[in-house]
Amino acid sequence: MYDKILFHKGFILLKLLFILFYSTLLLASSQKISVQLEWKHQFEFAGFYAAIEKGYYKDIGLEVELREYTQGIDISDEVISKRATFGVSSSSLILDKLQNKPVVLIASYFKQNALALAVKPEITNVEQLRGKKIMALSYEIDHTSIGVLLKEGGLKDEDYTFIDHDFSIDAFKAGDVDAMSIFISNQPYFLDKEGVKYNILNPADFGIYSYDLELFTSEEFARKNSDMIEKFAKATNRGWEYAFKHKKEIIDLIYDKYTKTKSKESLLYEAEVTQKLFKTNIFKIGATVPELIKLNAQMYTSLGLVQDGFEFSKLLSSYIFENLKYSENRDFQDKNIIQNNIADLTYEEKDYLKEKKIITACIDPDWMPFESLQEGKHIGLSADYLDIFQKNLSVAIKVVKTDSWMDSLEFAKMRKCDILPLVMETNERKEYLDFTSPYLKIPVVLATRPNVAFIADFDNLDNKKIGIPEG
């Protein structure tokens, strides 16, 4: 009996030693990386804290160090020079790219910039700031949406008195300045707590769009470590999902482990506003949206920091991580998939095509860049795909001339054409058409006039007129 007890204790001890050895081995094999933050510790970086605390980074073999911002640091240079593995930047990251810095965007979190102007309650528009005192950072005037707001409001530098920001609400509270730059996730809490009356001039409300909280790395690191970056981004996004579902837990973590600069109450206010700025009801966490990037690039053009006329699609090919990762083999893969699918035909299908000899197609004659008929010639994306189909089928495809998309649908109903190369499946159309699996996915977006504010929520469309193609 005594021997059995000794054996049992020895087995437990051996098991504990094995667990300790295995844990030490895992720790030793973890890859150490660093993330340079764009500001001090606060809920703005909650996803990173959660991913560390819940072991999401550890699960993929990463030991992550978060570095607070210190005065004078250029975040892009920190990453490009390899002093930091990753960086978290503001909307100015696209400006760095436009100025030929080798930065690569991995994930984009704030879908609306938190930067705005708090103004005295009697001020309701930009013109009323003429002759007033504005407290801000010079960088904000020269490089952000606030600068565009003032410029498009007709104000030049000499039209107002610039006061360098002291990072306090005291001057605004005392009435020494008429406006001050704020982050809507931060200062309104303190203004409300002090009972200060104010209005907010938010660039987004004036159709001036920019974003914030951009996770990035250097182009060199991205090309050499694509698998690790993909896992790191997924772990970070997972951290954000957890942080939003467990705000109070992460706020306790920030307060107890990282900083006591802000109260838990103010951190909760920041957390609620931050989640709204992520716009998770529209975008996936971390999604990179080319249309939003383009709006931001246009902002810097408006500020005169870059020349207009840059080739945007070429810019995105090396700026967005997913584009960089797949750019070299995407075209080959797409064509190869199509060719393999066409080659996999039954004998009956091949005999049918042999007897058919010519396939007739109806298109939308005026839908560029997707498809069009110009001087009797079929052009656009569908023309390129039909060329690929013809080469692999060894059967000619002839486009039947129609005057409109509605005519093309009628021709299809009357069997005057065999196929519609670009048509969306609907219940009505399924009554007279069979549909393949999609070979081209095209996002549907809302287009507005330049002076219309960015529409990030369908609630903003109340009482608006929307035009859509007939059919």
Side-chain angles (χ1 to χ4, degrees):
M1 183 68 179
Y2 181 71
D3 289 342
K4 287 184 178 180
I5 293 172
L6 283 178
F7 175 78
H8 182 66
K9 287 183 177 180
F11 177 76
I12 293 173
L13 180 61
L14 184 64
K15 188 175 181 180
L16 289 172
L17 286 172
F18 175 78
I19 292 171
L20 180 62
F21 171 76
Y22 184 70
S23 299
T24 305
L25 189 65
L26 277 178
L27 187 63
S29 63
S30 294
Q31 181 179 353
K32 293 184 178 181
I33 63 169
S34 56
V35 181
Q36 177 59 60
L37 306 178
E38 65 171 330
W39 195 239
K40 305 296 183 180
H41 289 303
Q42 54 186 2
F43 198 88
E44 181 179 357
F45 311 111
F48 298 97
Y49 307 137
I52 291 173
E53 190 69 16
K54 308 313 293 186
Y56 301 156
Y57 293 141
K58 185 178 179 182
D59 290 344
I60 57 174
L62 295 178
E63 183 180 345
V64 179
E65 175 196 1
L66 301 178
R67 297 177 184 172
E68 266 191 324
Y69 177 81
T70 56
Q71 193 66 29
I73 280 183
D74 185 310
I75 299 172
S76 293
D77 286 347
E78 287 293 301
V79 174
I80 294 168
S81 64
K82 302 179 183 179
R83 290 189 292 272
T85 318
F86 298 98
V88 179
S89 177
S90 67
S91 59
S92 63
L93 185 69
I94 186 63
L95 177 60
D96 290 336
K97 182 63 179 178
L98 288 166
Q99 294 175 340
N100 297 317
K101 287 190 176 182
V103 292
V104 174
L105 176 64
I106 299 167
S108 180
Y109 293 111
F110 280 20
K111 294 302 184 289
Q112 178 185 321
N113 202 310
L115 192 62
L117 286 176
V119 298
K120 288 183 175 179
E122 63 269 19
I123 297 174
T124 58
N125 59 59
V126 178
E127 172 61 29
Q128 291 175 314
L129 290 172
R130 191 177 297 275
K132 305 296 185 181
K133 294 179 180 178
I134 301 176
M135 184 169 71
L137 297 175
S138 58
Y139 183 88
E140 291 170 341
I141 301 296
D142 297 335
H143 292 79
T144 74
S145 53
I146 285 182
V148 181
L149 177 68
L150 297 176
K151 183 178 179 180
E152 294 195 356
L155 296 188
K156 299 178 181 178
D157 292 347
E158 58 269 23
D159 292 330
Y160 59 89
T161 301
F162 172 79
I163 307 294
D164 201 28
H165 214 309
D166 62 1
F167 300 101
S168 169
I169 66 169
D170 293 341
F172 184 79
K173 177 183 175 183
D176 296 334
V177 296
D178 303 287
M180 72 171 182
S181 63
I182 63 166
F183 283 91
I184 60 173
S185 56
N186 188 24
Q187 282 88 349
Y189 167 81
F190 298 102
L191 291 171
D192 292 340
K193 191 174 182 181
E194 294 289 331
V196 180
K197 302 296 183 183
Y198 62 95
N199 280 332
I200 290 180
L201 297 181
N202 192 329
D205 295 335
F206 293 82
I208 302 164
Y209 192 82
S210 65
Y211 46 79
D212 204 352
L213 206 63
E214 307 291 280
L215 178 63
F216 75 99
T217 190
S218 68
E219 187 172 327
E220 180 184 351
F221 190 84
R223 291 185 182 279
K224 294 179 180 178
N225 300 274
S226 60
D227 289 342
M228 185 269 269
I229 291 172
E230 194 167 357
K231 291 176 182 178
F232 174 71
K234 286 180 179 178
T236 305
N237 295 346
R238 188 181 172 195
W240 274 113
E241 290 171 1
Y242 187 91
F244 286 142
K245 290 178 181 176
H246 306 86
K247 293 187 185 75
K248 290 186 178 180
E249 177 188 337
I250 300 303
I251 286 167
D252 287 342
L253 172 68
I254 295 169
Y255 191 82
D256 295 336
K257 193 170 183 178
Y258 290 92
T259 181
K260 289 181 170 61
T261 304
K262 299 176 74 171
S263 68
K264 291 184 180 181
E265 188 180 34
S266 67
L267 285 169
L268 183 58
Y269 177 91
E270 182 192 358
E272 297 294 346
V273 177
T274 294
Q275 187 166 11
K276 291 178 182 177
L277 293 172
F278 270 56
K279 298 187 182 297
T280 52
N281 59 322
I282 301 173
F283 303 103
K284 289 183 178 180
I285 289 177
T288 55
V289 185
E291 293 82 4
L292 305 187
I293 296 172
K294 186 174 184 178
L295 285 171
N296 214 75
Q298 290 170 343
M299 182 188 79
Y300 288 112
T301 302
S302 177
L303 286 168
L305 297 174
V306 291
Q307 290 185 345
D308 200 359
F310 53 84
E311 191 176 339
F312 189 67
S313 58
K314 185 177 180 182
L315 175 78
L316 292 184
S317 67
S318 61
Y319 179 57
I320 297 178
F321 170 68
E322 287 299 322
N323 291 352
L324 184 71
K325 181 179 178 183
Y326 295 112
S327 60
E328 294 180 358
N329 60 5
R330 181 184 293 157
D331 290 341
F332 170 79
Q333 288 179 339
D334 286 348
K335 290 180 180 179
N336 198 41
I337 289 169
I338 292 170
Q339 290 169 1
N340 288 340
N341 287 340
I342 291 171
D344 191 23
L345 297 174
T346 66
Y347 288 113
E348 290 80 7
E349 289 167 339
K350 290 178 181 178
D351 287 341
Y352 171 80
L353 289 174
K354 188 176 181 181
E355 293 294 325
K356 182 71 175 170
K357 295 183 181 178
I358 294 177
I359 297 172
T360 55
C362 288
I363 68 167
D364 188 330
D366 186 22
W367 191 31
M368 285 299 286
F370 304 108
E371 57 185 12
S372 180
L373 274 178
Q374 291 187 9
E375 298 180 357
K377 184 179 180 182
H378 179 204
I379 61 173
L381 285 174
S382 68
D384 295 336
Y385 277 103
L386 290 190
D387 283 343
I388 297 173
F389 297 157
Q390 287 184 103
K391 289 175 183 176
N392 289 275
L393 290 171
S394 298
V395 175
I397 300 177
K398 179 184 177 182
V399 174
V400 177
K401 184 181 182 301
T402 58
D403 294 325
S404 68
W405 175 238
M406 292 300 296
D407 282 351
S408 292
L409 291 175
E410 286 300 317
F411 272 42
K413 286 181 182 178
M414 298 165 64
R415 298 297 186 255
K416 291 184 178 181
C417 53
D418 300 310
I419 64 171
L420 297 165
L422 283 181
V423 60
M424 185 179 294
E425 181 177 337
T426 67
N427 288 332
E428 181 184 351
R429 292 170 184 167
K430 284 168 70 176
E431 293 179 3
Y432 60 92
L433 292 172
D434 290 327
F435 290 86
T436 67
S437 299
Y439 68 90
L440 181 63
K441 294 183 179 181
I442 304 168
V444 178
V445 299
L446 287 171
T448 66
R449 295 186 181 92
N451 62 339
V452 176
F454 176 74
I455 298 171
D457 194 316
F458 284 105
D459 291 340
N460 296 335
L461 295 175
D462 285 348
N463 301 316
K464 304 291 185 184
K465 291 182 179 179
I466 304 172
I468 60 174
E470 186 179 2

